[in-house]
Amino acid sequence: MTVSAPVARQGEDRAQLREQAQARLRALAGPAAELREDQWRAIEALVVDRRRALVVQRTGWGKSAVYFVATALLRARGAGPTVIISPLLALMRNQIAAAEHAGIRAATINSTNLEDWAATYAQVRRGELDVLLLSPERLNNPDFRDQVLPRLAETCGLLVVDEAHCISDWGHDFRPDFRRLRTLLPQLPDGIPVLATTATANSRVVADVTEVLGLGSPPDPSSSGLGSPPDPSAPGLGSPPDPSAPGPRTDEVLVLRGSLDRESLQLGVLSLASSAHRLAWLADQLGTLAGSGIIYTLTVAGAHEVAGYLRERGHSVAAYSGQTEQAERLAAEDDLINNRVKALVATSALGMGFDKPDLGFVIHFGAPNSVIAYYQQVGRAGRRLDRAPVILLPGPEDQAIWDYFTSVGFPGPGQVRQALEVLGDSPGPMSTAALETRIELSRARLETMLKVLDVDGAVRRVKGGWVATGQPWHYDAERYARLHEVRRAEQQAMRDYLRLTSCRMRYLRTQLDDPAAEDCGRCDNCGGLTLSAGAPAAAVADAEASLRRPGVVLEPRRQWPAAMGSLGVQVRGKIAPAESAEPGRAVARFTDLGYGSRIRAVLSEASPDGPAPPELIAASVDVLASWDWHTRPSAVLHVGSLRRPLLVADLAAQLSRIGRLADLGAVEHLGRSATGRSNSAQRLKACWDGYRLPDRLGEQLAGEHRGAPVLLVDDFCDTGWTLTVVARLLRAAGAGAVYPFTLGLTG
C-alpha cells in the first residue's frame, strides 16, 4: 500500500480542516460541543502530518473524540480503517455506540463474538468498516497474528492504542499482551499515524509507553523487553513542539499532557472504627447521595458481602466482578447507566471504559494499593455534573490484601529457566495445561510469564500451545527489584493520602506528575466537602450482627486437571459422582469483613498451634446449624495436619461432642505436600499420595459406619485438592456423602 504525502504538503487549508473537525465533533458529542485546542492539535498531527502522538488527559476530556474525528477525516480522504486496540469489552461497547452517533461504522473482534468474526473480516476486506476494535490478546492469537494481522497492518489508516498505560509494567494495570504492539508497529507502512491515549500516566509510564510503541528513541535490541526503564528526560518526552517552529518532523512524537484536575470531584476520606461502622455508615448515607454510582471493593468476596448487606437494608444494588457471568455484567452495566439501581458494588473489573457521564458518586470500601489506580477509578464520577462526591472508607484488611497482590508478581528466575528448559526439550508445542504439570505456578501467573517471554522473543505461541524459539533471554533481576520497590512506594503514597491534611486533588495530581497541580477548594481538607462521621448505634449493631453471620459454600472440584498422566496420576476428565465430595462450608473467607480477620490471625504462620478459639467454635456451630444437608452427617473425622494438628483435632472433637457425631479420628498425613503457591496439577500431585486411612478407620467405614454421611474437617481450603483427594479415599473405603468443613477459605 502506498501512502500519500502529508495533506498539508498538498496545499490543503488547515483552517478548513479544523472546521470539518468541529462539524464531526458535534455529530459525535452534540451541537454544543466545542473542539478543545489540544484535541485539534492531536487531530491535526494525525490527519495532516501523519505523526505519532501520545495524549495524556483526564477522564472525560474527550480522548475518544480525537480518534473518531480523525477517523472520519482520514476515511474521507481515502485512508483505510482505523484499528483501535482496546483493553476491555465494556470500553469496546461504549466506543461502538459512540461511533454510531457520528455515522462511523465500527465493529469488534473479541472472545465473546466468535460467530461474527468471519463476517467482520469480510467487511474489513470490502472497505465497509471505518473502525475495527481489537483486544490486545487478539494480537497474539496464532490464526489472527499470522493470517489477519499482516493484511490489517497493510491497509490500516490509523492505529489507536487506548488506555495505553497498560503497556507499561511501571503502571498500575500492566498487561503483557499490550507489548505485542512492539511487533505490530514495524509492519505499518510509512506515514501511518499512531495515537496512544490514557488518563493515568506519570512521567515514568509516559516514558515507557513511548519507548515500547516506538514513539521515541528505538529500544536497544540487545536488551530484554523488561530492561531498564527509559529516561523521562529523553528527547521527545518533554513539552509539546512549538507550533510556531518550522514544520514538524513526522518521526517525532507529539506528547500532549493536560491538567488532570476534575472540577466536579469532591474527594474525602472517612476512617471509621470497624467494618461494621463502615457498613452502617454506607447503608445510612447511600440514600442521601444524588443519582447512582459505584461502590468499589478490593475483593470479589467483599463485593458480594457489601452488596448483600445493602440489599438487606433496602437499597437497590448489584454485585459486579470479573467472576460475574458476561450476560449478568452487561445487564448490570445497563441497569446502572439507566439508573435502575442505586449502585453497583464492584471490583476493579468495572473500571476503564465504563462511561456514564452523570455518574453521581464513587465510594471505595477499602483503599486501592495505588493512588494512580485510585485516580482512574474516581474518574468515573461526575463527568457532566457540577459536583460528585468521592469517598474513601479504608479498612483494617487493606494491607493484607495489598500484600497478597504484591506476593504474586512476576515469577523468579528459577521458574522462568525451568519453563524455557521444558519447552526447549519438548518435541512439539506444549499447552498451558501441560506446562502446568511441570512448573509450580498458578495458571494466571504461568500465562502472564509466557506472554512476557513471547513478547521478548524467547517463546512463541502457536497452534497447540507454546514453543521455545532458542533466542537468549536475560532475567533482569534489578528491574524486578525496582518494580517491587515502586509497588511498595505506591502503597506508602496511598497510606499518606489517607492521613493527608492538605488538598487531596492536588496530591493525586502531583503523584501523576501534573505540573499544574494546585489546591482544589472542593475536598474535605479544603473545606468543600463535609462528611458525617457517625452512624446510629442501632445501625452499627445491625451491621455487626450481619458480619457475624458465618458460612461460605465450598464448591467441590468437578474436573481433574489436564495432563495428569505425565505426573504419574492416572485421572482425567470429570470427577465421578461416586468419588466426589458434596458442597461444603467454611466459616469465612480470609478476606471477609466479619470473621475473616480473626481466622487470618488464628491460621497465620506466627500463631502457635492450639485448641480452636471458643468464638470460632460457636461460629462453626452456627454454620452447621444452618446447613441444608441432603443427609445429616452421623460421623466426623478430620484431615491430619502438619501445621496445626491440635487446632484441627480439637475443632473436630468439639463438633463431634456438640453435634453428637461419632468421632472417627484423623486421616493420616504422610508428610508430603506442595510448596508455595502451586497450581492445580502440582497441588493434586502432591496430595495424591499424601494421605492414608489408618487401618482402624478403614475398618469402621467398611463395617459399622459403612454408607454413613461424614463431616470432613480441616483448617482451611485453598485449591480444594486436599479435600477432594481425602473425600475420594473415604468414598472408596465405604463412606456415604462427604461434607467438607473448614474454618477458612482463601480467595
Side-chain angles (χ1 to χ4, degrees):
M1 176 180 176
T2 302
V3 178
S4 59
V7 177
R9 296 174 188 175
Q10 297 173 348
E12 179 165 346
D13 183 76
R14 292 175 187 253
Q16 181 183 5
L17 187 69
R18 181 164 184 163
E19 291 178 3
Q20 295 172 6
Q22 178 66 63
R24 291 287 187 175
L25 177 68
R26 288 177 175 166
L28 179 71
E34 291 292 333
L35 197 64
R36 301 177 188 271
E37 189 59 36
D38 275 357
Q39 284 177 320
W40 163 243
R41 291 181 65 192
I43 293 167
E44 181 184 37
L46 298 170
V47 177
V48 178
D49 299 315
R50 306 296 176 94
R51 291 176 63 183
R52 296 184 173 186
L54 173 60
V55 174
V56 183
Q57 299 283 358
R58 66 181 182 270
T59 304
W61 176 84
K63 296 182 289 295
S64 61
V66 170
Y67 51 73
F68 282 134
V69 170
T71 293
L73 297 176
L74 286 166
R75 291 289 280 165
R77 286 154 180 75
T82 291
V83 176
I84 301 176
I85 311 300
S86 182
L88 291 178
L89 297 180
L91 186 58
M92 291 183 182
R93 292 191 294 271
N94 290 335
Q95 287 168 325
I96 289 174
E100 290 174 351
H101 285 302
I104 296 172
R105 301 162 297 179
T108 178
I109 296 292
N110 63 68
S111 59
T112 68
N113 65 350
L114 297 174
E115 67 281 359
D116 298 334
W117 288 8
T120 300
Y121 292 151
Q123 287 180 292
V124 171
R125 286 192 298 270
R126 294 193 299 266
E128 296 173 358
L129 283 180
D130 301 312
V131 171
L132 180 64
L133 294 107
L134 303 172
S135 66
E137 294 77 13
R138 191 60 33 204
L139 298 177
N140 204 33
N141 173 276
D143 283 339
F144 183 87
R145 181 194 63 211
D146 298 335
Q147 299 178 26
V148 178
L149 193 57
R151 173 63 178 165
L152 201 58
E154 182 182 340
T155 59
C156 173
L158 168 66
L159 177 65
V160 177
V161 184
D162 215 350
E163 305 295 350
H165 62 273
C166 295
I167 292 170
S168 175
D169 54 349
W170 300 100
H172 67 276
D173 198 13
F174 169 59
R175 303 189 185 189
D177 288 296
F178 263 87
R179 297 180 82 97
R180 175 56 53 192
L181 291 161
R182 182 191 292 272
T183 58
L184 172 60
L185 282 161
Q187 299 179 44
L188 297 177
D190 292 340
I192 298 300
V194 178
L195 172 67
T197 69
T198 181
T200 49
N202 57 20
S203 295
R204 182 191 293 268
V205 173
V206 167
D208 198 30
V209 170
T210 302
E211 186 270 333
V212 171
L213 290 179
L215 297 175
S217 301
D220 179 359
S222 65
S223 70
S224 154
L226 294 173
S228 300
D231 180 1
S233 64
L237 296 175
S239 302
D242 181 355
S244 64
R249 290 171 47 195
T250 58
D251 61 345
E252 288 182 348
V253 60
L254 173 66
V255 178
L256 295 171
R257 296 196 65 169
S259 167
L260 297 179
D261 189 23
R262 288 288 309 282
E263 292 88 351
S264 65
L265 298 186
Q266 295 180 285
L267 301 170
V269 174
L270 191 58
S271 296
L272 297 172
S274 68
S275 292
H277 280 80
R278 288 190 292 157
L279 269 183
W281 183 92
L282 184 56
D284 192 56
Q285 295 293 318
L286 186 58
T288 69
L289 299 173
S292 56
I294 300 172
I295 302 168
Y296 279 111
T297 64
L298 300 186
T299 66
V300 174
H304 286 281
E305 200 167 2
V306 172
Y309 180 72
L310 292 176
R311 284 195 296 268
E312 289 177 7
R313 291 291 303 273
H315 295 290
S316 175
V317 301
Y320 183 109
S321 75
Q323 296 181 13
T324 306
E325 291 293 333
Q326 177 68 12
E328 292 181 37
R329 291 174 70 169
L330 290 173
E333 291 172 16
D334 191 64
D335 285 344
L336 181 59
I337 288 171
N338 291 288
N339 300 312
R340 291 190 289 267
V341 293
K342 182 66 177 179
L344 291 186
V345 186
T347 64
S348 59
L350 184 66
M352 292 183 298
F354 181 77
D355 187 12
K356 177 177 167 60
D358 62 341
L359 192 77
F361 58 89
V362 167
I363 298 172
H364 279 77
F365 200 92
N369 62 359
S370 160
V371 295
I372 299 175
Y374 179 66
Y375 173 84
Q376 183 183 71
Q377 290 175 357
V378 302
R380 309 266 72 80
R383 296 186 182 187
R384 294 184 187 172
L385 298 175
D386 292 333
R387 287 290 181 265
V390 171
I391 304 163
L392 174 53
L393 306 173
E397 71 280 1
D398 295 351
Q399 183 64 55
I401 295 171
W402 296 355
D403 290 343
Y404 169 77
F405 288 120
T406 299
S407 72
V408 291
F410 194 76
Q415 291 164 315
V416 179
R417 283 194 296 270
Q418 183 184 12
L420 292 174
E421 289 170 2
V422 169
L423 287 174
D425 293 340
S426 174
M430 290 188 70
S431 67
T432 306
L435 279 168
E436 202 173 27
T437 66
R438 305 285 300 276
I439 302 162
E440 194 172 331
L441 286 172
S442 70
R443 176 68 63 90
R445 294 185 74 199
L446 179 59
E447 288 181 339
T448 297
M449 181 187 73
L450 290 169
K451 288 176 180 179
V452 170
L453 293 174
D454 187 0
V455 170
D456 289 342
V459 306
R460 182 172 174 82
R461 186 181 173 195
V462 298
K463 282 188 176 181
W466 302 86
V467 296
T469 64
Q471 294 186 24
W473 191 86
H474 168 64
Y475 188 95
D476 195 337
E478 290 185 7
R479 181 177 178 91
Y480 288 119
R482 289 195 299 271
L483 276 169
H484 182 75
E485 289 307 311
V486 166
R487 298 293 175 256
R488 290 296 184 188
E490 288 174 345
Q491 292 184 12
Q492 184 57 52
M494 195 73 228
R495 286 190 287 269
D496 293 343
Y497 178 80
L498 300 179
R499 296 190 293 263
L500 203 64
T501 58
S502 56
C503 178
R504 296 194 188 278
M505 180 58 79
R506 180 175 191 146
Y507 182 85
L508 294 181
R509 293 173 66 186
T510 299
Q511 288 292 311
L512 282 157
D513 296 324
D514 182 351
E518 59 184 3
D519 289 357
C520 70
R522 305 179 305 272
C523 70
D524 56 350
N525 289 338
C526 287
L529 175 67
T530 302
L531 298 173
S532 169
V540 175
D542 182 71
E544 184 71 38
S546 177
L547 292 175
R548 287 294 173 182
R549 288 200 297 268
V552 180
V553 174
L554 297 178
E555 293 293 346
R557 286 284 187 171
R558 304 290 189 189
Q559 187 97 9
W560 300 112
M564 288 304 300
S566 65
L567 292 178
V569 179
Q570 302 305 322
V571 292
R572 59 183 301 176
K574 293 182 179 180
I575 300 175
E579 297 181 335
S580 66
E582 299 295 317
R585 296 291 187 277
V587 172
R589 295 179 179 87
F590 285 3
T591 55
D592 282 352
L593 302 174
Y595 283 97
S597 59
R598 181 68 178 121
I599 290 172
R600 284 199 309 272
V602 169
L603 300 183
S604 73
E605 293 183 2
S607 179
D609 186 28
E615 65 173 311
L616 294 186
I617 294 294
S620 299
V621 171
D622 287 344
V623 173
L624 298 180
S626 63
W627 200 332
D628 52 343
W629 318 94
H630 293 302
T631 306
R632 186 182 187 276
S634 60
V636 60
L637 53 85
H638 63 278
V639 178
S641 175
L642 299 181
R643 295 181 300 260
R644 300 176 190 87
L646 297 178
L647 173 70
V648 179
D650 180 67
L651 176 62
Q654 295 208 51
L655 294 181
S656 167
R657 177 181 56 82
I658 296 170
R660 299 179 181 178
L661 308 174
D663 189 348
L664 302 185
V667 177
E668 185 180 353
H669 196 310
L670 300 180
R672 295 189 291 271
S673 64
T675 59
R677 297 182 184 279
S678 48
N679 56 52
S680 279
Q682 296 284 341
R683 181 61 60 88
L684 176 56
K685 167 61 177 174
C687 294
W688 190 253
D689 297 318
Y691 297 90
R692 185 182 72 85
L693 301 188
D695 292 341
R696 184 186 59 82
L697 176 57
E699 291 169 0
Q700 289 177 303
L701 292 175
E704 61 182 303
H705 291 288
R706 185 170 184 81
V710 298
L711 186 69
L712 176 61
V713 175
D714 203 358
D715 51 358
F716 73 96
C717 176
D718 185 3
T719 63
W721 286 117
T722 294
L723 295 171
T724 302
V725 167
V726 173
R728 182 176 181 269
L729 288 175
L730 297 176
R731 296 298 303 275
V738 177
Y739 296 97
F741 177 80
T742 68
L743 292 177
L745 171 64
T746 62

